[in-house]
Each structure stands twice: as structure tokens, then as C-alpha cells.
Amino acid sequence: MAPELRFTTFEEIDEIYSTLNKTFRSGKTKPIAFRKVQILQLAYLLQDNLERFKEALAIDLGRPALEASFLELDSTISDCKVAYDRVDKWARTEKAPFNIKFAAFRPVIRKEPKGVVLSISPFNYPIWLSLGPIIGAIAAGNCVVLKPSELCPAISGLIAELIPKYLDNDVIRVVLGAVPETSKLMEYPWGHGKIIGVAAAKTLSPISLELGGKSPVVIDARCDFKIAARRIMWGKCANAGQTCVAPDYVLVPRSSEDAFVKALKDAHDEFYPSGATTTPDLSRIINLEHFHRLKNLLDSTSGTIAFGGQTDESRKFIAPTVVKGVKDGDSLMSDELFGPILPIMPVDDVDEAIAYINAHDHPLALYCFSSDAAFKNKVFDNTQSGSAVANDVMVHCATDGLPFGGIGPSGSGYHTRGFTFDMFTHLRASLDSPGWIDNILGARFPPYTSGKIASLKRLGVKLPPRPSMSANGHGLVERRRNSKWLLLVVSLAAVSIGYTRAADVGEWARWLKGLIQIKV
């Protein structure tokens, strides 16, 4: 049984905001050494309480222990270690690219914290999506307010209990609550927020949004169906499909639909040999509201249930379900499913698949299964999505060095590891202008004269030759050739071998220019 949360009062929220702002202004979070202590403490918060977190995930989501470790706990601890090791480099002041015109100014980019930041996390990954942003925010030197999901009371309560024990209470605070408490938080201006867009606009708070959407899978008829089916079924079943980048639907060649559905059934039976309804290896739907939403979508489909379809309201359980023969406009295609239901939509060819994807909102992820580079490039080059992944699903979120974020309706901003640091960091332009620079730039000062205009004009840029235009309006940029240098070299070479007469050198140069078709 999940514990009942004691929601944070409005008076406490006022005190939290005031305290964190005072802390930030004091400069306490600026030293890298302080940040590293907090990051390491966060890692130990998780490592010391692994079993408690697994128990809480089982209470809130029915999450199997292996999924609890693999999907959230291990990766969040790993993110802490990466930040601990790299924050010195991330936070280092960066020199601007060298430019002879501005080198004297010593231009640099200072990596500075944004201030007091807010992170409102969802229910589906209540550890990684709560503590992950905190890692980057701390590394960047910010103070943080975390608002975990009220739909996961066991996890949210545990986080609220442990953070004051492990982390500096003047730097990181937890606010528990639902809509009223969230609305109260949105009244404040924030240095940055992983929050609600419309509300943030009222206080001009910069934001990042992770919204999700229907992430499609495009199947090449020539791909390995067994590998594709196992990976897709895993992505659809992990956390009961309640993953923002879970494969939402499959676009498969019409002639291969039955064969691919069979491969999915084989993978399902391999994963759950005793049957989906009795296995301990499936999570549960977060609450009855989401359960009924999914059940209504399934009941309304015009497709054919190939396998699965079992539901149990008392357990908030929906079996992994594959629905074939789904068409555009079907109930299952109306919105992001966020559950263990996988519609299969047959298409005539990859062009039809691409056209369908482009006719809808840009997804958070787009998956393609193929061994043909041309096929994969065609899908990725002609679509837009937050990420483009070939021959696997979901693993890009944990891949070091890759950003995680959406585009357009699927979200904005990027996070994970260094990208989370960047999200919570202000790039502050800085330079130091020497006094003698006025000997060069003194023409900028009034009174303005023709001589000053000419002087400043000499500092301008010289564009490459104007491109010629083709019949279809595309510019054809001519390759720039160092013609004058080439002619100088040719002339010197001519003289060195005895062609000393100017007429001879000129004739040779004209011949060479014609041979290689250069223009002076």
C-alpha cells in the first residue's frame, strides 16, 4: 500500500523559494568542489537505498526488480558518476574561436548557473526523470526545487525523505503536491524550468519540455524479423509501455504484416512462457484513469487483436497486445498510447510510411529496422523526430554523448549528462578591451567623417564570388581557386628553367589557365 503524502503548504513553498534564492545569491553553489560533493551524495542516496527504491517502484508501478535497476537506478547512479568526473571540464571558461580582428579583446564564454531552477517530473520514470535533471542542475551550480509526481506516492515520499538527509537543504528542496501546489510554484520566476510551457510564459521563465508523442517504427521487409520483434516487444512491454519513447505503432509492408505479427508473438511467448496474465515480469498501469483510457481505446479499435487483449481492473493490468490491420483514423492512432498496446499499420511501401509520419506531429523518437543503409537514410533524411534510431529502441536515452529531447510538438531542449548541464547553464559572453584598441577602432566614435567610414569599411568582410544560378533556381557555388598564387608559382618555375622572356612566361600562363579552366 502506497503511503499518503503530506503535501507542502503554500507558506512552506514561499519559504523554500526565499531560502534558495538567498543561498544562490550568497555564492555557495559556485565552487566546483561543493557541486561535486552534492553530486556524489546524490549517488550514495541511491546506492545506500537501492532496495527501498525497488520496493517503492513495485508499490507505485508494479515494476519488476530487474527493470527497476536497469531502466532507472543503475543509469541514474551512472549519470552521477559521469557528472562528478566531468563537471570540471563542463564548467571551464571557454575561449571564443580565434579571429584576428577580435583576438585583442580576449573574448571568452563563461559557464554560469541560471539561479534557482524548478523541475517537475512525470510518473513513468519517477527516479531517472526526477533525479536526472537535478544532477545537471547541481553540476551547473544552481539551487533546485524538485516537484515529483503525486501519482507515485511511494517514490515521491521516499525522495522527499532522503534528499534532506543526503543533500544540502539550503540548495535542494522537494515540494510535494498536486495541481494546487504546482500552480503555486508556477507563480514564481525561475532561472530555468523543466516545466509547463503556458504557465512559465507568464513569468518569462526559460523552459525545457519533454512531451512525447507517437513514436513510429518503420520495418524493412528484408530486415531480421526475429531481432526486430524481440527489441520492439521489449520496448513496448518495459514499464507496461509507459515510456515516452516506447514504440507506439509499427508501419510494415502489407505483404509482410502476418509474418511480422508472428515474429512478435514468438517474442512474446519467449518473454512470458507461463502467459502474460501470471508473469511477475510486467509492470502495472499507473492508475485507474489511465487503465480505463487504454481499455476504451482498445475496445474501440477497428483492427484485429492478433494476441493479448486481456485486462484486469483490480490489478490495473493490461496484457501486451498486438492489433493488426490498423488504419489511419483508428482509435489506437488518435493519441500517444502510453501502454502495452501495439498497433500494426500495413503500408504499400516506405514512401507511404514516410508520408504517414510526416502528416502527423514530429515524434520524440523514430525507429527503423533495416540492414540497408539506403533504406535507413531514406527514412531518416525525409522525416523529423527528436531522435532517429536504427535497429533498436529506447537505448539511445542512456547512450553517453547523445542528447535526449524532442522537436516541435514532442518537446524542446535537450538533457542527459552534459546536455543537462548545458540546459541549466547560462553562456555568458565576456571580453576585456584594451585601451590601445582605439588606435584601430577609433573611427567608431563621432563625429562621423568620410575618412572614418573608409577606415571601418576596411575592417569588413569580403564575400566569396556570387554564385551562378541553375535553371531550377539552385545556387551553384564555384570552387574557389587560388589563381594568383598558382600563376606566381608557374612564373617562378618558368624562370627557373630558362624561360626568361616575359612573352614566354605570359604565353605559358595563358596556356595553363586554359588547360585547367581557372578564372583570375
Side-chain angles (χ1 to χ4, degrees), residues 141-163:
N142 299 282
C143 292
V144 189
V145 173
L146 170 65
K147 163 59 180 69
S149 175
E150 70 276 13
L151 300 183
C152 292
I155 284 291
S156 296
L158 182 57
I159 288 174
E161 172 197 333
L162 294 176
I163 279 183

Side-chain angles (χ1 to χ4, degrees), residues 257-450:
E257 181 182 19
D258 290 340
F260 189 70
V261 168
K262 181 182 183 302
L264 291 169
K265 180 64 164 63
D266 291 343
H268 171 275
D269 294 346
E270 175 193 347
F271 293 169
Y272 314 111
S274 63
T277 57
T278 58
T279 182
D281 296 333
L282 282 168
S283 298
R284 300 296 183 260
I285 305 304
I286 185 64
N287 59 20
L288 288 177
E289 179 183 353
H290 284 276
F291 171 87
H292 289 302
R293 176 186 63 82
L294 287 165
K295 188 175 186 305
N296 290 337
L297 291 173
L298 187 58
D299 290 343
S300 301
T301 183
S302 298
T304 301
I305 295 178
F307 61 87
Q310 303 93 335
T311 63
D312 184 343
E313 180 177 338
S314 65
R315 296 190 295 151
K316 295 177 292 185
F317 173 80
I318 296 179
T321 303
V322 169
V323 182
K324 66 178 185 178
V326 174
K327 299 178 181 178
D328 187 15
D330 191 89
S331 61
L332 297 177
M333 304 305 293
S334 60
D335 202 356
E336 181 180 7
L337 290 171
F338 223 62
I341 302 169
L342 185 64
I344 309 296
M345 178 181 290
V347 293
D348 290 333
D349 51 35
V350 67
D351 293 316
E352 185 180 350
I354 290 171
Y356 182 82
I357 293 168
N358 288 336
H360 298 80
D361 289 343
H362 304 322
L364 187 55
L366 188 155
Y367 303 112
C368 176
F369 283 82
S370 176
S371 58
D372 182 357
F375 186 95
K376 289 178 282 191
N377 288 336
K378 183 170 186 177
V379 172
F380 294 157
D381 290 348
N382 292 283
T383 55
Q384 289 181 275
S385 61
S387 56
V389 178
N391 298 313
D392 216 323
V393 299
M394 302 202 320
V395 294
H396 60 287
C397 300
T399 301
D400 191 18
L402 291 183
F404 176 47
I407 177 173
S410 59
S412 62
Y414 307 96
H415 65 102
T416 63
R417 293 163 288 280
F419 296 98
T420 312
F421 175 90
D422 293 342
M423 179 172 69
F424 289 114
T425 296
H426 171 57
L427 302 181
R428 191 178 185 188
S430 180
L431 58 79
D432 187 353
S433 182
W436 57 262
I437 203 71
D438 286 349
N439 295 325
I440 299 172
L441 291 179
R444 60 182 163 154
F445 301 122
Y448 302 139
T449 65
S450 59

Side-chain angles (χ1 to χ4, degrees), residues 94-135:
E94 180 181 325
K95 290 184 178 180
F98 178 78
N99 186 315
I100 189 64
K101 295 179 182 178
F102 302 105
F105 292 104
R106 298 191 295 277
V108 296
I109 302 169
R110 297 167 57 98
K111 312 287 185 66
E112 299 195 352
K114 290 187 172 181
V116 181
V117 302
L118 170 66
S119 181
I120 299 177
S121 61
F123 72 82
N124 57 325
Y125 284 80
I127 297 173
W128 186 59
L129 292 177
S130 290
L131 303 186
I134 285 182
I135 299 167

Side-chain angles (χ1 to χ4, degrees), residues 8 13 33 54 57 93 115-116 160 224 259 285 289 319-320 323-325 443 514:
T8 308
I13 293 174
K54 290 177 184 178
L57 285 168
T93 297
V116 181
D224 187 318
I285 305 304
E289 179 183 353
V323 182
K324 66 178 185 178

Side-chain angles (χ1 to χ4, degrees), residues 9 34 74 89 91-92 126 173 184 210 239-240 248 264 296 306 316 344 364 371 397 415 429 437 495:
T9 66
F34 175 84
D74 293 348
K89 180 179 179 181
R92 192 176 301 148
R173 300 285 285 273
K184 173 65 175 177
E210 180 193 307
N239 199 34
D248 193 276
L264 291 169
N296 290 337
K316 295 177 292 185
I344 309 296
L364 187 55
S371 58
C397 300
H415 65 102
I437 203 71
V495 171

